[in-house]
Amino acid sequence: MAKQVLVSPSMLSADFARLGDEVERVCAAGCDFVHIDVMDGHFVPNLTMGPDIVKSIANHATKPLDVHLMVENVPFFVDLFMDIKPAFLSVHIEAVTHLHRLIWHIKDNGIKAGVVLNPHTSEQLLEYILPDIDLVLLMSVNPGFGGQSFIPQSLEKLKRLKIMRDRLNPACLLEIDGGVSDKNIAALKNAGIDMVVAGSFIFSSNDYAKAIASLR
Ligand code: DX5
Ligand code: ZN
């Protein structure tokens, strides 16, 4: 039997007018983390929520936060999220010049640090940072919007990344984000995924618990 994966529902697909309710419901439905997509309108062509809204969500969440920063000025945003103390704070490799320094700044503040790769970014770029990080987040859609289709090459990339992760840092979690559903979860598990983000699949269902259980 394939192992169980951790499920991190993306609040991007929740009803933004009822965020408190939505996060309470999805936590009660048995998720492991709550995925928060922060966008600045520059790194990606969309805007979502800043630290004050995320703080309000955190007050209603009974599960730890998994924050995904899709921003250009990464060090500035990292500092805005420090006192919220998410479980994971993940930054895009494409947006950071001094990645090693920033990762250790996050970790020195007691937060687990993740690195995110866009669909076109090679996993090979992680060779010298993997030993230092807690999570790799693979984008399986172009970041910016929920409800897009899974990019098929992401599966091969995940398999290669898993080999590299097992060699360099077996404790580092592998997470995937974009277009995850009950249609591709079996293939993702077979490829070695530890944790999945799912937005539209969970929030468009009328039974969050059932949707989450179907991904496990
Ligand atoms: C996209 C975000 C994702 C997105 C996933 O930029 O990073 O977290 O909300 O949504 P679905 O699961 O609908 O692809
Ligand atoms: Zn995300």
Side-chain angles (χ1 to χ4, degrees):
M1 200 182 95
K3 65 168 183 182
Q4 297 216 326
V5 295
L6 299 165
V7 180
S8 189
S10 164
M11 295 304 293
L12 186 60
S13 295
D15 180 348
F16 274 21
R18 299 171 41 247
L19 280 174
D21 260 18
E22 289 275 70
V23 76
E24 283 171 11
R25 279 183 65 201
V26 88
C27 289
C31 66
D32 300 285
F33 293 91
V34 175
H35 188 80
I36 304 284
D37 289 303
V38 177
M39 307 185 188
D40 66 349
H42 294 278
F43 183 72
V44 288
N46 197 4
L47 280 168
T48 51
M49 47 187 110
D52 291 341
I53 295 181
V54 177
K55 248 174 240 167
S56 303
I57 293 177
N59 288 336
H60 289 259
T62 53
K63 301 292 167 68
L65 301 190
D66 162 36
V67 174
H68 173 195
L69 296 181
M70 282 157 278
V71 299
E72 257 177 16
N73 190 347
V74 190
F76 170 78
F77 276 87
V78 160
D79 282 340
L80 292 183
F81 284 85
M82 283 301 189
D83 64 336
I84 298 175
K85 293 270 178 261
F88 292 101
L89 185 55
S90 298
V91 302
H92 270 262
I93 198 167
E94 301 86 3
V96 182
T97 309
H98 303 291
L99 186 60
H100 183 272
R101 178 190 294 153
L102 189 63
I103 289 299
W104 278 100
H105 177 55
I106 295 171
K107 291 179 29 153
D108 287 344
N109 278 274
I111 299 168
K112 292 194 163 98
V115 173
V116 196
L117 304 185
N118 271 334
H120 72 280
T121 303
S122 171
E123 74 288 347
Q124 290 299 324
L125 293 183
L126 294 173
E127 177 94 24
Y128 300 106
I129 197 70
L130 242 171
D132 296 292
I133 62 181
D134 302 291
L135 175 85
V136 177
L137 177 52
L138 279 189
M139 290 310 301
S140 40
V141 297
N142 287 295
F145 306 94
Q148 304 179 77
S149 305
F150 185 88
I151 297 174
Q153 300 90 294
S154 311
L155 209 54
E156 185 57 33
K157 188 172 172 182
L158 171 61
K159 290 178 189 163
R160 288 170 192 240
L161 176 62
K162 183 177 183 302
I163 294 168
M164 203 170 155
R165 187 280 308 267
D166 292 349
R167 174 168 60 91
L168 295 171
N169 182 1
C172 177
L173 292 177
L174 304 182
E175 183 180 26
I176 199 151
D177 183 2
V180 173
S181 72
D182 56 353
K183 304 277 179 296
N184 49 26
I185 191 68
L188 289 168
K189 279 185 193 172
N190 286 336
I193 202 68
D194 300 306
M195 177 162 162
V196 295
V197 177
S200 49
F201 176 70
I202 293 172
F203 285 98
S204 70
S205 97
N206 48 25
D207 186 339
Y208 295 171
K210 203 169 151 197
I212 291 169
S214 74
L215 295 176
R216 285 250 159 65

